[in-house]
Amino acid sequence: MIDSFRHKGMRKQLVDQLAQKGIEDQRILDAFLKVPRHFFLDAAFTEQAYTDIAFQIGAGQTISQPYTVAFQTQLLQIEKGDKVLEIGTGSGFQTAILCELGAKVFSIERQKELYLKANQLIPTLNYTPKLRYGDGFEGWETFGPYDKILITCGAPFIPDALVAQLKPGGRMVVPLGEGNTQEMILLTKSTNGEISQRSFGKFRFVPMLKDTAK
Ligand code: SAH
């Protein structure tokens, strides 16, 4: 795929919209200027790639709306070198944004088709996250604990295994709820291990499901 001046122009317009909608962190806006979102959709859908909407990516899943990706990323307060666990690699776009911000990213996907596709695409953009085909409810203990944990699907509850794999002082962002909409929850673990939660309004996600897809 090609990343042209036209694509860069479309990215700039999208970034202006994100800023208008309240994304204030300049590092996140800069990351959106850099990552070619149209690479994460089929070639026919370039226009949709730079519109602020969610979009089908196969296996019944969606690439999250750019605003939602930016909002979740902003809540995480990513610092360079942070170890970040993402649940729901999907297209890999959010993974690329986290890499662009200098995080060491570990990302899990339960749909094999999507895992394989992201695993092929992401290295071509020179990002080096570790991707895994598996069930995000279990986390990825081998590389934990993590500074930040991000769930990008609607979780029926906050998985204990993930809370256990969060570092003291860490932040975790979870879209919580099983209905049509989820409540965006920021969970923080204090340095002495106390958990607290704050809510940041309603969003819409595909569901977080148990086990890998058959
Ligand atoms: N971050 C993605 C969003 C994809 S939608 C992107 O930027 O494109 C959410 C993804 O979570 C879907 O691909 C879905 O298959 C995946 N998912 C759902 N339940 C999961 C689980 N238990 N473990 C890992 N991935 C899961």
Side-chain angles (χ1 to χ4, degrees), residues 57 61-64 69 86-95 108-111 114 134-137 152-153 206-211:
I57 51 170
Q61 304 306 319
T62 53
I63 179 170
S64 299
V69 173
E86 177 190 23
I87 310 302
T89 315
S91 67
F93 176 72
Q94 167 81 75
T95 314
I108 306 175
E109 172 57 55
R110 69 182 287 282
Q111 294 281 354
L114 298 179
D135 180 3
F137 276 101
T152 72
C153 35
V206 295
M208 182 173 184
L209 302 171
K210 263 312 273 171
D211 302 326

Side-chain angles (χ1 to χ4, degrees), residues 20-35:
Q20 274 166 23
K21 290 181 182 175
I23 304 301
E24 291 165 345
D25 188 332
Q26 191 56 46
R27 294 173 315 142
I28 294 175
L29 296 173
D30 288 346
F32 271 80
L33 279 181
K34 287 206 183 125
V35 180

Side-chain angles (χ1 to χ4, degrees), residues 13 31-32 39 45 47 50 55 67 70 78 87-88 90 104 134 136 151 179 209:
Q13 282 183 6
F32 271 80
F39 283 33
F45 302 125
E47 305 297 327
Y50 296 108
F55 205 75
Y67 174 73
I78 302 292
I87 310 302
K104 293 190 200 104
I151 302 186
L209 302 171

Side-chain angles (χ1 to χ4, degrees), residues 8-158:
K8 290 193 173 86
M10 288 195 282
R11 278 211 284 289
K12 177 75 176 77
Q13 282 183 6
L14 174 61
V15 164
D16 290 345
Q17 283 180 38
L18 295 176
Q20 274 166 23
K21 290 181 182 175
I23 304 301
E24 291 165 345
D25 188 332
Q26 191 56 46
R27 294 173 315 142
I28 294 175
L29 296 173
D30 288 346
F32 271 80
L33 279 181
K34 287 206 183 125
V35 180
R37 194 165 184 269
H38 63 288
F39 283 33
F40 296 82
L41 299 181
D42 287 339
F45 302 125
T46 295
E47 305 297 327
Q48 283 84 344
Y50 296 108
T51 312
D52 193 18
I53 51 167
F55 205 75
Q56 300 296 324
I57 51 170
Q61 304 306 319
T62 53
I63 179 170
S64 299
Q65 183 184 342
Y67 174 73
T68 303
V69 173
F71 190 85
Q72 289 195 291
T73 309
Q74 190 162 271
L75 284 180
L76 283 172
Q77 298 182 355
I78 302 292
E79 301 292 340
K80 267 203 172 71
D82 271 355
K83 227 199 282 177
V84 181
L85 177 66
E86 177 190 23
I87 310 302
T89 315
S91 67
F93 176 72
Q94 167 81 75
T95 314
I97 291 286
L98 294 168
C99 290
E100 189 59 50
L101 289 166
K104 293 190 200 104
V105 186
F106 301 82
S107 184
I108 306 175
E109 172 57 55
R110 69 182 287 282
Q111 294 281 354
K112 194 159 207 177
E113 169 192 340
L114 298 179
Y115 157 76
L116 290 171
K117 218 166 159 181
N119 204 35
Q120 215 170 31
L121 172 65
I122 290 181
T124 68
L125 298 168
N126 292 322
Y127 299 122
T128 54
K130 277 199 193 305
L131 304 185
R132 176 185 192 179
Y133 167 58
D135 180 3
F137 276 101
E138 292 163 18
W140 198 346
E141 207 172 3
T142 317
F143 296 102
Y146 301 92
D147 299 289
K148 313 280 159 70
I149 298 180
L150 171 60
I151 302 186
T152 72
C153 35
F157 54 86
I158 300 180

Side-chain angles (χ1 to χ4, degrees), residues 184-211:
M184 191 66 80
I185 302 293
L186 170 65
L187 178 152
T188 50
K189 191 186 259 190
S190 71
T191 42
N192 56 20
E194 267 168 50
I195 303 296
S196 46
Q197 291 184 23
R198 273 178 71 192
S199 181
F200 287 87
K202 299 265 185 228
F203 288 78
R204 187 182 289 257
F205 285 84
V206 295
M208 182 173 184
L209 302 171
K210 263 312 273 171
D211 302 326

